[in-house]
Amino acid sequence: MKTKKRFKWMRLIRNIILSAGAILLLVMSFNWLMTRYEHKQYPAWGRYVEVKGKKMHVYTKGTKGNTIVMLPGLGTAAPVLDFEPLINELSRQNKVVVAEPFGYGWSDLTDEERTVDNIVEELRSALRQAGIEGPYTLLSHSMSGIYSMYYANKYPDEVEAIAGIDITLPQAVEYFGESVPQMPGYMSLIAPGGLARMAAYIIPSEIVPIAESGTYSAKNLKLTKILTAWKAYNSNVVNEANQIEHNIRVAQEMAYPPDLPVILFAAEADKSKVKADGKSNITFYELQLRNVHHHKLITLKGHHYLHWTHYKRIADEVNAFLRDSLGHTGSLSGK
């Protein structure tokens, strides 16, 4: 009797495993078919250029004024869509460019390591291939603050100004005495496994921007969910996350060049996160700007993605700063 019961439980466990495997296979197959269909139905908004044998998507809007190149934060699945309200505002007076990195938006995935050097060189190549002439104002969000600082130090003749939205800088880890987190490799299965697609439709509030109604069009939000299903936490994003420690080490001794105009937007310091010694994100930014002749630091209430809700203020401040920074020096502050 005991033997029969044991075989019964074994069959039950086997059937559960087989059923789960069959469901997973169906979900993956459905996701693969939908992704192929969607790529045909929803073509890229910009143009493709070839970088290291892969296609990189470059989107531009506006034809006059400064050339502003926007760099997304780590894991922002669809940079062009995420930045769209800010792009629309800035492009009234500037030429705005988003070269979506490999693993993001409509760009391909790559086998290249996501080191700061590779990311910056790929960006430079994409801009050249697209015929976008410098010098550039680099407008970075979050983790790409490291890339813009590296770019400005390595190729100073190509960068005329820096703008940053709640950016990460290589000196932050040492300043706050923190460690660099790692992203487990299995996260790269989220998109191909269909989990990102399920999340985009079951819990869209975790996928789409948190903004006032009308800020993002229905078309934009629909595409954001679709591109999240394609690209969320793919192998390039996971590799980029796990290269943070390396990228910090490479750029740690760098600083903003004194003669380079820099404007930063920071989320207001959360009192609960201010260190016992008074250190906060604001004091950190102030330290990084200390030796920059022409700079401005603006604090805003809101989410880490400040451009979701403050895109008009950010555009106005960037435009004014770029006008004032031409041939001028001096420290500025604003709130």
Side-chain angles (χ1 to χ4, degrees), residues 64-69 93-97 127 132-139 148-149 151-153 155-163 256-263 292-295 318-319 321-328:
K64 58 185 179 181
N66 300 286
T67 299
I68 300 177
V69 178
Q93 299 183 33
N94 308 279
K95 182 174 185 177
V96 183
V97 183
L127 294 173
I132 310 295
E133 297 182 356
Y136 316 109
T137 292
L138 301 180
L139 194 161
S148 62
M149 177 175 278
Y151 196 140
N153 276 267
Y155 303 104
D157 293 340
E158 298 179 18
V159 181
E160 64 180 357
I162 291 282
Y256 289 127
D259 295 327
L260 180 70
V262 180
I263 180 171
V292 179
H293 300 322
H294 192 58
H295 69 260
V318 168
N319 285 332
F321 181 79
L322 293 179
R323 285 195 302 269
D324 294 342
S325 67
L326 299 178
H328 291 75

Side-chain angles (χ1 to χ4, degrees), residues 241-288:
N242 293 330
Q243 291 288 346
I244 293 175
E245 187 170 1
H246 166 83
N247 292 339
I248 287 174
R249 188 166 59 251
V250 169
Q252 195 163 17
E253 300 303 318
M254 294 180 177
Y256 289 127
D259 295 327
L260 180 70
V262 180
I263 180 171
L264 300 182
F265 301 89
E268 285 190 353
D270 185 339
K271 292 182 180 179
S272 66
K273 294 182 180 179
V274 175
K275 304 289 185 179
D277 57 7
K279 290 181 177 179
S280 69
N281 62 321
I282 305 302
T283 62
F284 171 70
Y285 289 138
E286 288 173 342
L287 180 63
Q288 302 308 308

Side-chain angles (χ1 to χ4, degrees), residues 84-138:
E84 188 184 14
L86 183 55
I87 292 171
N88 291 341
E89 291 296 320
L90 285 171
S91 63
R92 299 176 193 274
Q93 299 183 33
N94 308 279
K95 182 174 185 177
V96 183
V97 183
V98 182
E100 293 185 314
F102 288 131
Y104 290 78
W106 279 280
S107 292
D108 286 346
L109 272 68
T110 181
D111 295 327
E112 299 285 338
E113 294 289 325
R114 299 294 77 209
T115 62
V116 60
D117 184 66
N118 281 341
I119 290 171
V120 168
E121 292 304 327
E122 289 161 3
L123 172 61
R124 294 180 68 237
S125 178
L127 294 173
R128 287 196 303 270
Q129 298 296 330
I132 310 295
E133 297 182 356
Y136 316 109
T137 292
L138 301 180

